[in-house]
Amino acid sequence: LSVPQHPDILIAGDLAALSRHYDVAFGGAPDADWRLTLTPTSTRVRAAVQRILLSGRGAQTLAVDTEGGGGVTRMRIEPGR
């Protein structure tokens, strides 16, 4: 299971489903700046993707960084564009 294949888990905020496949760490405050770190629990998945970092402010996700064997892929989201 990967977030790109199952974005509904993130959108739904299904912590139980995320926790079955990722170590989940949250920092910050839900109504301010926050950061969610997802580390795959499967060694097979971790061979391709070591970590997924999502960051945002309030209800908005502003960045998604994926760390893998090929480096870091960054996606920035600009609200209102």
Side-chain angles (χ1 to χ4, degrees):
L1 178 77
S2 70
V3 170
Q5 292 175 338
H6 298 279
D8 53 316
I9 291 173
L10 270 182
I11 293 167
D14 191 341
L15 183 58
L18 280 174
S19 296
R20 282 194 296 274
H21 304 283
Y22 297 92
D23 289 326
V24 179
F26 182 83
D31 58 348
D33 291 337
W34 54 267
R35 182 177 181 124
L36 177 67
T37 303
L38 303 174
T39 305
T41 55
S42 163
T43 55
R44 185 175 63 91
V45 173
R46 217 171 30 248
V49 177
Q50 283 80 45
R51 189 173 301 112
I52 301 168
L53 306 166
L54 298 101
S55 58
R57 184 172 300 117
Q60 296 180 324
T61 301
L62 300 175
V64 179
D65 296 347
T66 304
E67 298 178 8
V72 176
T73 302
R74 291 193 168 112
M75 179 176 69
R76 299 293 174 249
I77 303 162
E78 296 181 24
R81 285 193 142 191

